[in-house]
Amino acid sequence: MTAGVAESLLAALRARLGQEWVWTGADAEPFLTDQRRLLHGRALAVVRPADAEEVAAVLRLCRAAGVPVVPQGGNTGLMGGATPDASGQAVLLSLGRLNRVLAVDTDNDTITVQAGCVLANVQEAASQANRLFPLSLGSEGSCTLGGNLSTNAGGTQVLRYGNARDLTLGLEVVTAEGEIWNGLRGLRKDNTGYSLRDLYIGSEGTLGVITAATLKLYPLPAGQDSAFVAFASIESALAFLSLARQRLGAALTAFELIGQAVLALVARHVPEQPQPLPALAQPWYALLETSGDDSGAALLQLAQDALEAGVVADAAVAQSLQQASAFWRLRDEAIGVAQARDGGNVKHDISVPISRVPMFLQNTAQALQALQPGLRPMAFGHLGDGNLHYNVSHDPGQPVARLFELEERIHDLVHAQAHAQGGSISAEHGIGQFKRDALPRFKSPLELALMRRIKQALDPLNLMNPGKVL
């Protein structure tokens, strides 16, 4: 791109959006580093449109100039999917100003919001209408709905309500050509051809820009209850999950697995965090949540029966909202703090069929010890849907730098073990930049070819978030 083309595009963008919404230099810098501060890109400019029409205008101007566009929401992603490359040739499209709740329909149990709405604000808008929007993530105070949809985010309640895709009825999308597709239909049944909605969800901004969505709402739970349980083996954890599903049905909204090593890390580095059980005597633990009128009594009875049957080694049922909140703070906040204070770790977001979780854990731990004795697996995550955050911490007897010297080999090992069990190398974080080059090892040539055909059809100039996913 010549200097003349760049200046002409900047002038056109400023004329369309207003001088104050086209940022360069120091103003643009906060948008150019990823959430984990591992990537720092450059951009011709950061633009902040106010609505779908302005997004479409930006895409038309960039297309005419042959300039790539990198969409960005709350910039909380972990795979570098919203960070431009180092060339400085792209325009970064920030959707933060598209932050309005457009409609709440309690008769249809839907909410329509713009893509820049912070997830916690969507939850609050639903709550004010006496409804529940159940997508729940650790970053919900800063991540945005458009980013959630672009990566098909999961979170703690997928077991009951599904991923972001399952919670979405309709989309508004600006195509690579700068056309606006209004698919904001609040329909639960619409069998009229290809599901364009599902094509754009999970595409990480490589096919078009999601600017609004119509989402499912649910009744507010009459009550919520939590329990923390301990298991002598991972097989016992799976047996208890099966029993909980049978006994609790749809009332079971979350089932989070936490390894003993993870809780020990929290005890060492976050001592102010109370531990739900007095001793870390068992190798595996789980945090359950139930929702409903009598879910507390049912959960207590389930825990008692499982203790008597020897399926559960120990259990604590929260006796107050404060105690339940402490349970969930451990899962949602303290684990991340403890891992950061411990000196860094190599992160993974994998999924395997639930029945194969024990084999994955066993084989991967053995393979890690063969690679470097002393490496410490830190496994936790959403056992109810087979999604584990399988992080690897350094050998305390080695410098932390040694862990990162092995990082690529650790990634290869963990991904290969997940694939061997019929799993995926990305359950809810997407592909972005960090997993792009690994994808061909685990997708068949035909799958990749089909994905490239879709990309070519919808973005023939390869201007939408280039270098991500494919």
Side-chain angles (χ1 to χ4, degrees), residues 99 101 111 113 116-128 140-141 143:
N99 58 9
V101 174
I111 184 170
V113 302
C117 281
V118 171
L119 176 56
N121 294 341
V122 180
Q123 296 167 343
E124 177 61 23
S127 179
Q128 289 178 2
E140 60 194 29
C143 66

Coordinates of all heavy atoms in Angstrom, one line a residue, residues 99 101 111 113 116-128 140-141 143:
N99 N -23.1 -0.6 21.3 CA -23.3 -1.2 22.7 C -24.7 -1.1 23.2 O -24.9 -1.1 24.4 CB -22.3 -0.6 23.6 CG -22.4 1.0 23.7 OD1 -23.4 1.5 23.2 ND2 -21.5 1.6 24.4
V101 N -28.7 -2.2 23.8 CA -29.7 -3.3 23.8 C -30.9 -2.7 22.9 O -31.5 -1.7 23.2 CB -30.2 -3.6 25.2 CG1 -31.4 -4.5 25.2 CG2 -29.1 -4.1 26.1
I111 N -33.7 -11.4 23.4 CA -33.2 -10.1 23.6 C -32.3 -9.8 22.4 O -31.6 -10.7 21.9 CB -32.3 -10.0 24.9 CG1 -31.8 -8.6 25.1 CG2 -31.2 -11.0 24.9 CD1 -31.2 -8.4 26.5
V113 N -29.4 -7.4 20.8 CA -28.3 -6.5 21.3 C -27.3 -6.3 20.2 O -27.1 -7.1 19.3 CB -27.6 -7.0 22.5 CG1 -28.6 -7.3 23.7 CG2 -26.8 -8.3 22.2
G116 N -21.2 -4.8 20.3 CA -20.3 -4.3 21.3 C -20.8 -4.3 22.7 O -20.1 -3.8 23.6
C117 N -22.0 -4.8 23.0 CA -22.5 -4.9 24.3 C -21.6 -5.8 25.2 O -21.3 -6.9 24.8 CB -23.9 -5.4 24.3 SG -25.2 -4.3 23.9
V118 N -21.2 -5.3 26.3 CA -20.4 -6.2 27.3 C -21.4 -7.3 27.8 O -22.5 -7.0 28.1 CB -19.9 -5.3 28.4 CG1 -19.3 -6.2 29.5 CG2 -18.9 -4.3 27.9
L119 N -20.8 -8.5 27.9 CA -21.6 -9.6 28.2 C -22.4 -9.4 29.6 O -23.6 -9.7 29.7 CB -20.8 -10.9 28.3 CG -21.5 -12.2 28.8 CD1 -22.7 -12.5 27.9 CD2 -20.5 -13.3 28.8
A120 N -21.7 -8.8 30.6 CA -22.4 -8.6 31.8 C -23.6 -7.7 31.7 O -24.6 -7.8 32.4 CB -21.4 -8.0 32.9
N121 N -23.5 -6.7 30.8 CA -24.6 -5.8 30.6 C -25.8 -6.5 29.9 O -26.9 -6.2 30.1 CB -24.1 -4.6 29.7 CG -23.1 -3.7 30.4 OD1 -23.0 -3.8 31.7 ND2 -22.4 -3.0 29.7
V122 N -25.5 -7.5 29.0 CA -26.5 -8.3 28.4 C -27.2 -9.1 29.5 O -28.5 -9.2 29.6 CB -26.0 -9.2 27.3 CG1 -27.1 -10.0 26.7 CG2 -25.3 -8.4 26.2
Q123 N -26.4 -9.7 30.4 CA -27.0 -10.5 31.5 C -27.9 -9.6 32.4 O -29.0 -10.0 32.8 CB -25.9 -11.0 32.3 CG -25.0 -12.1 31.6 CD -23.8 -12.4 32.4 OE1 -23.4 -11.6 33.3 NE2 -23.1 -13.5 32.1
E124 N -27.4 -8.3 32.7 CA -28.2 -7.4 33.5 C -29.5 -7.0 32.8 O -30.5 -6.9 33.5 CB -27.3 -6.2 33.8 CG -28.0 -5.1 34.7 CD -28.5 -5.6 36.0 OE1 -28.0 -6.6 36.5 OE2 -29.4 -5.0 36.6
A125 N -29.4 -6.7 31.5 CA -30.6 -6.3 30.8 C -31.7 -7.4 30.9 O -32.9 -7.2 31.0 CB -30.3 -5.9 29.4
A126 N -31.2 -8.7 30.7 CA -32.1 -9.8 30.8 C -32.7 -9.9 32.2 O -33.9 -10.1 32.4 CB -31.4 -11.1 30.5
S127 N -31.9 -9.7 33.2 CA -32.3 -9.8 34.6 C -33.4 -8.8 34.9 O -34.3 -9.0 35.7 CB -31.1 -9.7 35.6 OG -31.5 -9.8 36.9
Q128 N -33.2 -7.6 34.4 CA -34.2 -6.5 34.7 C -35.5 -6.8 34.1 O -36.5 -6.3 34.5 CB -33.6 -5.2 34.1 CG -32.5 -4.6 34.9 CD -31.9 -3.3 34.3 OE1 -32.4 -2.8 33.3 NE2 -30.9 -2.8 34.9
E140 N -16.6 -11.8 31.7 CA -17.9 -11.3 31.3 C -18.1 -9.8 31.6 O -18.9 -9.1 31.0 CB -19.1 -12.0 32.0 CG -19.1 -12.0 33.5 CD -20.0 -13.1 34.0 OE1 -20.3 -14.1 33.4 OE2 -20.5 -12.8 35.1
G141 N -17.2 -9.2 32.5 CA -17.2 -7.8 32.7 C -16.6 -7.0 31.7 O -16.7 -5.7 31.7
C143 N -15.6 -8.7 28.2 CA -15.8 -9.3 26.8 C -17.1 -8.8 26.2 O -18.0 -8.4 27.0 CB -15.7 -10.8 26.9 SG -17.1 -11.6 27.8

